[in-house]
Amino acid sequence: MAKIAIVYHSGYGHTKVQAEAVLEGARQVPGIEASLIEAAAIAAEPGAASWATLDAADAIVLGAPTYMAGPSAPFKAFLDASSGRWAEQRWKDKLATGFTNSAGYNGDKLATLQQFALFAMQHGMVWVGLGLLPGNHTSQGSPEDLNRLAGFLGAMAQSNADAPPELAPPASDRATACHLGRRIAEAALRWRSGQVPQRAAA
Ligand SMILES: Cc1cc2nc3c(=O)[nH]c(=O)nc-3n(C[C@H](O)[C@H](O)[C@H](O)COP(=O)(O)O)c2cc1C
């Protein structure tokens, strides 16, 4: 058994679709307990029950839309609100990964994922990347490909600015997010069952 907490923000519903796809992927792996947490709801609530869910998780998945070349402000508020836990290194050695969605195909999504990875490093966590080759990058490729946006650090999705969350992000990006959920779940099971070798006495 391993626990996955997916903490996310979504201003207009598109990144929520991506978060739900990550959840679906995690739940496809037997022995996983996975849950979604709304970052905005707990950022200003130090006593919120979801903080305990994060503390108990084997892996934390970070997800936010890219706004102005970084994570959206409500999600950044959550990152900042974790600083007490950072001081105690309470999340040290948990696994971490992340996802982001934006209107541009590029849209500076990488900057958001890099911020998530650095955040995880500050917490002493262990980052798990997407683990997929790039899709849609040869003349035989197509926008239907898994990882069509060719991310490596985490799952990327693109949502046309005038499309509702029922249509955007498209199926390929949802499948990529689902893959990320399965990958972090499998990694968490392996991580939890791993033995830490004893250090020889100095
Ligand atoms: C304040 C703001 C800033 C944005 N900045 C970017 C950006 O830097 N790059 C980009 O590609 N899209 C940008 N967008 C578009 C959103 O990333 C896009 O609409 C996304 O699908 C919104 O996700 P959500 O519905 O989960 O909030 C921005 C949108 C808003 C509202």
Side-chain angles (χ1 to χ4, degrees), residues 9-16 65-70 101-109 159-161:
H9 169 250
S10 180
Y12 305 92
H14 303 85
T15 313
K16 184 176 183 193
T66 295
Y67 286 177
M68 304 311 294
N101 160 67
S102 82
Y105 276 72
N106 178 311
D108 292 324
K109 282 189 259 283
S159 299
N160 288 338

Side-chain angles (χ1 to χ4, degrees), residues 7-93:
V7 56
Y8 76 98
H9 169 250
S10 180
Y12 305 92
H14 303 85
T15 313
K16 184 176 183 193
V17 167
Q18 201 184 9
E20 287 167 346
V22 173
L23 179 71
E24 182 190 336
R27 285 185 173 163
Q28 285 172 2
V29 179
I32 291 294
E33 191 181 304
S35 56
L36 287 181
I37 296 170
E38 281 185 51
I42 65 166
E45 285 273 354
S50 295
W51 284 106
T53 305
L54 288 161
D55 293 341
D58 298 291
I60 296 178
V61 185
L62 307 165
T66 295
Y67 286 177
M68 304 311 294
S72 56
F75 197 80
K76 182 64 168 69
F78 157 74
L79 297 180
D80 292 358
S82 76
S83 61
R85 282 161 168 81
W86 164 80
E88 297 169 357
Q89 288 289 280
R90 213 191 288 187
W91 292 351
K92 188 169 191 289
D93 292 339

